[in-house]
Amino acid sequence: LLVAVLTYIGLQLIAVPSPLVQAVLAGIGELIPVVGPFLAAVPALAVALATGEANVVVVLAFYIGLQQVESNILIPLIMRGQASIPPLLSLVAFLIGAAVAGIIGALIAIPLFGALRVLTVRLLVPAERDIVGVSRAEADAVHHEEVERDATEDEDE
């Protein structure tokens, strides 16, 4: 939704005809990982080229800039905030999903990975602690000590 709104505002400022249609296409394109945003740029570039009302290079630069903002700022913030999935693991999950099941696999890879991560953190890790006989407080204390030790080692270097 945010990309669609930004696309509408940007294309309105650049004076591309039918910015609302292009923004809707950009929003829909966001649903298709990796190639969707590029495919959504094609109609806007074609309209800019055909009508001559907007500079094609400016439209191309706008879409590239928007893609950079989305890829480097929006998606990492959303992934970290919503699913606690690090960006590198999102990319690995996407590539594995695409390799295993093509486009459908790429579409479901990150949500599936997020679900597996939640199951692991909420079910398997507590079950393992119960089996080993370690309380959550003891596990948290050990983790806190390890973090402090790593921070101290980093300062010494």
Side-chain angles (χ1 to χ4, degrees):
L1 180 63
L2 184 60
V3 169
V5 170
L6 292 174
T7 300
Y8 176 76
I9 292 168
L11 295 180
Q12 186 77 21
L13 292 173
I14 299 171
V16 174
S18 306
L20 184 58
V21 173
Q22 304 301 331
V24 169
L25 289 174
I28 292 170
E30 287 300 316
L31 298 175
I32 304 170
V34 181
V35 297
F38 294 109
L39 294 176
V42 171
L45 291 168
V47 167
L49 184 63
T51 62
E53 292 182 31
N55 187 345
V56 177
V57 175
V58 174
V59 174
L60 180 63
F62 168 73
Y63 271 95
I64 290 172
L66 181 63
Q67 180 64 30
Q68 292 301 310
V69 167
E70 178 209 2
S71 297
N72 296 313
I73 297 172
L74 294 177
I75 291 194
L77 287 174
I78 291 168
M79 288 296 180
R80 195 174 320 128
Q82 294 298 315
S84 298
I85 301 173
L88 180 61
L89 290 180
S90 296
L91 179 63
V92 169
F94 172 77
L95 293 174
I96 291 171
V100 170
I103 292 174
I104 300 297
L107 288 172
I108 65 170
I110 294 173
L112 181 62
F113 179 78
L116 290 173
R117 186 174 185 286
V118 168
L119 286 173
T120 301
V121 170
R122 303 257 171 125
L123 294 176
L124 296 179
V125 171
E128 181 182 9
R129 279 196 298 252
D130 290 344
I131 291 170
V132 173
V134 176
S135 71
R136 181 177 176 106
E138 291 171 331
D140 289 342
V142 169
H143 176 70
H144 183 67
E145 289 174 11
E146 289 174 355
V147 169
E148 285 182 354
R149 185 179 63 236
D150 290 344
T152 306
E153 289 174 0
D154 289 342
E155 289 176 1
D156 292 341
E157 291 176 0

